[in-house]
Amino acid sequence: MNNLLISICIPTYNGRKFLEKCLDSAIGQTYQNIEIIVVDDCSTDKTYDIANTYAAKDSRIKLFQNERNAGLVPNWNRCMELSNGEWIKFLFQDDYLSPDCIEVMVNALSVNDKIVTSSRMLILEESLDEAAKRYSIDKTLTFERLGIISHVPISISPKKISSIAVQNICMNFIGEPTVVMFKKEVIGEFGTFNADLIQICDLEYFLRIATFYGVKYIPQPLTYFRAGAHIDSASGANIAKRQFSLAYIDPIITVHQLLYDGVFKSFRKSLSWPQKVKLKLFFITRVQESYKTVERISAEDKGKLELAAAKYPNIGTYKKGNLLTLIGENIIKIRRIINK
């Protein structure tokens, strides 16, 4: 395994503020057989110039720039398309890797592994308010918080991953893209990131792989992730401007895929009947809530909902809910009364 070519993929857009530290961490890896794919999405700051300066000094850096702004997720997919390595390791422009990150991940691999993730350190920006900092520290899901404790790399089965996914619907417990490395050949089986999703596209994609092959988890902090979506990041823009999509479109599409898409067939087979009911109830209830909200949202958000319903037909099927929705709403009301 020690001779694998690893593609470190860095999608960039207006990332001048942190890009140098990001690139330094990539070129400073103790594992040498790497290529660094940088794809700039038509930045309007000095991002491309910084990357170009680095590329002139290190032949392992391959710099590309899109002809027009493609957007967040299509740029991730462009990075994957341009990569030549047997494994893909994303690194976001705001984040950085420990010097031995790739080496430790490669050494932990077995012949059957398709996706590997690790622990990571949070970077808390001063611009974050205290509530956001506390949320990042206390509420971010980790395998340890889910009861998976180990001091050495551990394989987590597809069935266990599937069960956790239902217990924590639309919560990213596998890790952000900077934390994850996956085998490039899975693209032939599972495709690329879903550009219809704006915030949990990484979770949905990693679940495609992990609910089929499982996950290798390394309980060692190998990456540094800038938590809370600092003000200059693409994630920050998503959170500030796309609340309806975050609350409704992303969860609805993600759970729709879990329930109906062929790529999740083995996932559904592994679930118990109560787990299937829980997932279906979440989907139906969230769909109905989205349509109840639609009169109070912008024309742009209404258009997004209509497009989602047209592309994923089961969304429209449950526009008015059904018996499961009524049961779910009553359960929620009872829980609120009990918790008062």
Side-chain angles (χ1 to χ4, degrees):
M1 289 279 184
N2 289 338
N3 220 20
L4 299 171
L5 175 62
I6 308 298
S7 296
I8 300 179
C9 292
I10 307 177
T12 62
Y13 178 71
N14 288 353
R16 171 190 58 80
K17 186 174 181 181
F18 301 110
L19 184 59
E20 290 186 2
K21 189 172 185 64
C22 169
L23 288 168
D24 284 338
S25 78
I27 64 178
Q29 288 297 299
T30 56
Y31 187 89
Q32 293 296 300
N33 194 18
I34 62 173
E35 64 172 5
I36 301 168
I37 305 294
V38 180
V39 183
D40 183 65
D41 199 23
C42 301
S43 293
T44 57
D45 62 2
K46 297 293 184 180
T47 294
Y48 184 85
D49 295 335
I50 293 170
N52 196 35
T53 298
Y54 273 77
K57 297 177 181 178
D58 193 322
S59 61
R60 296 174 300 173
I61 299 176
K62 301 173 183 178
L63 176 61
F64 304 87
Q65 188 171 51
N66 296 328
E67 292 183 3
R68 60 183 63 84
N69 181 266
L72 186 75
V73 180
N75 202 36
W76 297 6
N77 290 335
R78 178 69 171 151
C79 286
M80 293 162 64
E81 175 189 337
L82 293 167
S83 67
N84 300 293
E86 294 174 71
W87 285 76
I88 292 173
K89 179 73 182 75
F90 269 98
L91 170 58
F92 281 5
Q93 63 189 18
D94 309 327
D95 309 329
Y96 59 98
L97 308 176
S98 65
D100 61 348
C101 176
I102 304 298
E103 181 179 3
V104 172
M105 284 190 158
V106 169
N107 287 340
L109 295 175
S110 63
V111 292
N112 295 320
D113 289 329
K114 304 293 184 180
I115 182 170
V116 57
T117 186
S118 74
S119 178
R120 82 280 194 261
M121 297 292 291
L122 293 176
I123 309 168
L124 299 175
E125 287 295 296
E126 291 183 2
S127 58
L128 287 179
D129 60 35
E130 285 304 312
K133 289 180 181 178
R134 291 314 322 165
Y135 182 87
S136 296
I137 294 170
D138 298 335
K139 300 298 183 182
T140 301
L141 276 184
T142 64
F143 283 113
E144 286 77 12
R145 285 180 174 164
L146 292 167
I148 299 174
I149 309 296
S150 177
H151 299 294
V152 296
I154 182 175
S155 294
I156 306 172
S157 71
K159 185 175 180 63
K160 182 65 174 177
I161 293 294
S162 299
S163 180
I164 295 172
V166 177
Q167 290 168 9
N168 304 275
I169 300 175
C170 294
M171 298 294 289
N172 191 348
F173 60 94
I174 294 175
E176 303 81 13
T178 290
V179 181
V180 173
M181 186 170 79
F182 57 90
K183 204 166 187 178
K184 186 177 180 180
E185 69 179 28
V186 302
I187 297 173
E189 294 181 78
F190 303 109
T192 56
F193 291 98
N194 187 346
D196 294 334
L197 302 170
I198 64 169
Q199 195 71 17
I200 54 175
C201 44
D202 51 346
L203 171 65
E204 189 271 340
Y205 188 66
F206 298 152
L207 284 177
R208 291 185 223 169
I209 307 169
T211 58
F212 194 88
Y213 286 110
V215 170
K216 174 63 65 65
Y217 175 61
I218 302 172
Q220 177 181 341
L222 300 175
T223 63
Y224 293 79
F225 173 74
R226 207 167 296 277
H230 68 78
I231 195 167
D232 294 328
S233 73
S235 295
N238 283 344
I239 292 171
K241 299 177 181 178
R242 305 181 184 182
Q243 288 294 343
F244 182 78
S245 291
L246 293 176
Y248 295 104
I249 303 296
D250 267 27
I252 287 171
I253 291 177
T254 298
V255 179
H256 176 282
Q257 297 303 84
L258 292 172
L259 286 168
Y260 302 110
D261 195 272
V263 77
F264 285 109
K265 185 177 180 180
S266 63
F267 158 77
R268 291 190 292 273
K269 283 185 176 180
S270 73
L271 300 183
S272 65
W273 181 80
Q275 287 174 323
K276 292 177 181 178
V277 171
K278 178 181 179 180
L279 201 61
K280 188 70 172 283
L281 181 59
F282 178 95
F283 176 70
I284 295 172
T285 303
R286 192 59 61 94
V287 167
Q288 188 181 26
E289 287 175 352
S290 72
Y291 280 102
K292 287 181 178 179
T293 307
V294 79
E295 297 304 322
R296 304 191 300 273
I297 62 176
S298 67
E300 180 182 359
D301 284 335
K302 290 178 184 177
K304 290 176 184 177
L305 183 58
E306 290 172 2
L307 285 173
K311 187 169 183 178
Y312 305 92
N314 288 291
I315 293 175
T317 300
Y318 296 107
K319 180 176 180 179
K320 296 182 179 180
N322 66 1
L323 179 59
L324 271 178
T325 312
L326 180 61
I327 294 171
E329 289 175 345
N330 286 326
I331 290 173
I332 292 171
K333 288 178 183 177
I334 292 170
R335 284 179 176 173
R336 285 174 179 169
I337 293 170
I338 292 172
N339 292 330
K340 283 185 177 180

